């Protein structure tokens, strides 16, 4: 029980430290330090509570065991990363988001598509991925194509809606000024509306980063070669190897956060001029 008491003491000290740090302002170092301290506190408490309460490893392994398994399974994790993220999630992300942006431009140009296609987006977005993933696996087989198809289905309509909304972000006065100077539709689109839509476009891209990885992993639950994050998780759960399951979960979290951070960094470079980016 000493570990439990120590965990509570560490939690209290970390809570006190975060309150003090948050009260000193919102500098870049403090914005980084507060979540890091909070995250490390959760990990330390997890370790102490699991060991202090003698929780079986098949229920919840301690972080130290997960880290040891992660370090000892780098070759397996690398193969799973290539299969799930590069072949499935990334390819589906590029196809789904790229086609959605093109369709958004066509939809903005056509009243029929705007009134007929966008309402269907809510219907397709509400379809459960657990129900549609097996269908795509039956259609496209057990290769990367089925995973990419699931990712396209998950990312297309959120990206479409975000882009269409972004294209409407420019003010009517700005569009009237360009028309006054004789600008065509495509000139107005390229010079005004697409730059004004960039914050909304990147919001959709950032949302789809997590959706793409989730879709690829879920698709592997229903059919996959002998590799992949979803395949490994479903297989190792059956073998009660929870330490490797958690290692795959940690890998997915790292890749998901890195992918989101990369898109967010590009967003900051592209949309730095937008009023929403001002401190």
């Amino acid at each position: 029980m000493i570990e439990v008491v120590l965990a509570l003491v560490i939690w209290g000290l970390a809570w006190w430290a975060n309150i003090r740090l948050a009260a000193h302002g919102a500098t870049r170092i403090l914005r980084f330090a507060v979540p890091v301290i909070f995250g490390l506190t959760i990990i330390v408490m997890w370790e102490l509570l699991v060991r202090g309460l003698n929780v079986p490893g098949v229920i919840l392994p301690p972080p130290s065991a997960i880290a040891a398994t992660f370090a000892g399974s780098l070759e397996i994790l690398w193969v799973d990363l290539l299969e799930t993220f590069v072949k499935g999630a990334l390819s589906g992300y590029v196809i789904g988001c790229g086609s959605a942006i093109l369709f958004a431009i066509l939809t903005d140009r056509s009243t029929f598509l705007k009134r007929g296609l966008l309402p269907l987006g809510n219907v397709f977005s509400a379809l459960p991925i657990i129900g549609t993933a097996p269908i795509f696996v039956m259609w496209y087989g057990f290769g990367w194509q089925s995973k990419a198809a699931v990712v396209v289905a998950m990312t297309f309509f959120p990206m479409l809606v975000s882009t269409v909304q972004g294209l409407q972000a420019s003010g009517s006065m700005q569009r009237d000024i360009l028309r006054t100077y004789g600008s065509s539709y495509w000139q107005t689109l390229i010079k005004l509306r697409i730059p004004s839509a960039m914050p909304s476009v990147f919001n959709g891209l950032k949302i789809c980063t997590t959706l793409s990885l989730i879709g690829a992993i879920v698709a592997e639950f229903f059919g996959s070669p002998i590799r992949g994050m979803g395949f490994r998780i479903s297989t190792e759960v059956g073998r009660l190897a929870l330490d490797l399951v958690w290692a795959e979960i940690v890998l997915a979290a790292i890749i998901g956060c890195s992918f989101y951070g990369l898109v967010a960094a590009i967003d900051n470079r592209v949309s730095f001029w937008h009023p929403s980016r001002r401190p």
Side-chain angles (χ1 to χ4, degrees), residues 22-173:
H24 281 79
T27 63
R28 179 175 299 180
I29 296 178
L30 291 180
R31 287 198 299 266
F32 179 77
V34 171
V36 168
I37 293 175
F38 185 77
L40 292 176
T41 304
I42 295 294
I43 294 175
V44 171
M45 289 189 61
W46 179 355
E47 179 80 22
L48 293 175
L49 290 175
V50 167
R51 295 191 179 277
L53 298 176
N54 295 320
V55 179
V58 295
I59 301 298
L60 182 64
S64 58
I66 298 172
T69 302
F70 191 99
S73 307
L74 292 179
E75 185 177 352
I76 295 175
L77 296 174
W78 175 252
V79 172
D80 293 342
L81 170 64
L82 294 178
E83 182 68 25
T84 302
F85 178 70
V86 177
K87 292 184 179 180
L90 190 58
S91 60
Y93 178 85
V94 172
I95 296 172
C97 293
S99 59
I101 292 174
L102 294 178
F103 267 93
I105 296 175
L106 294 176
T107 302
D108 179 74
R109 184 68 168 162
S110 171
T111 305
F112 169 75
L113 290 178
K114 188 179 299 184
R115 295 181 179 179
L117 184 60
L118 288 183
L120 293 178
N122 296 326
V123 176
F124 283 99
S125 298
L127 293 177
I129 187 61
I130 298 296
T132 56
I135 298 175
F136 284 111
V137 172
M138 293 178 61
W139 286 352
Y140 298 102
F142 298 108
W144 66 270
Q145 294 88 347
S146 60
K147 289 177 283 189
V150 172
V151 173
V152 169
M154 291 187 65
T155 58
F156 179 82
F157 282 103
M159 191 68 230
L160 175 67
V161 173
S162 296
T163 306
V164 170
Q165 290 178 346
L167 291 174
Q168 305 296 326
S170 58
S172 58
M173 183 178 297

Side-chain angles (χ1 to χ4, degrees), residues 4-34:
V4 177
V5 176
L6 183 59
L8 295 176
V9 172
I10 292 175
W11 174 262
L13 291 175
W15 187 273
W16 175 83
N18 271 340
I19 292 177
R20 295 294 299 272
L21 290 174
H24 281 79
T27 63
R28 179 175 299 180
I29 296 178
L30 291 180
R31 287 198 299 266
F32 179 77
V34 171

Side-chain angles (χ1 to χ4, degrees), residues 155-197:
T155 58
F156 179 82
F157 282 103
M159 191 68 230
L160 175 67
V161 173
S162 296
T163 306
V164 170
Q165 290 178 346
L167 291 174
Q168 305 296 326
S170 58
S172 58
M173 183 178 297
Q174 296 169 316
R175 294 194 295 269
D176 290 340
I177 291 175
L178 288 179
R179 280 195 294 267
T180 301
Y181 284 101
S183 298
S184 65
Y185 169 82
W186 294 107
Q187 289 175 326
T188 303
L189 181 70
I190 295 172
K191 298 291 185 179
L192 173 64
R193 305 186 67 193
I194 290 181
S196 300

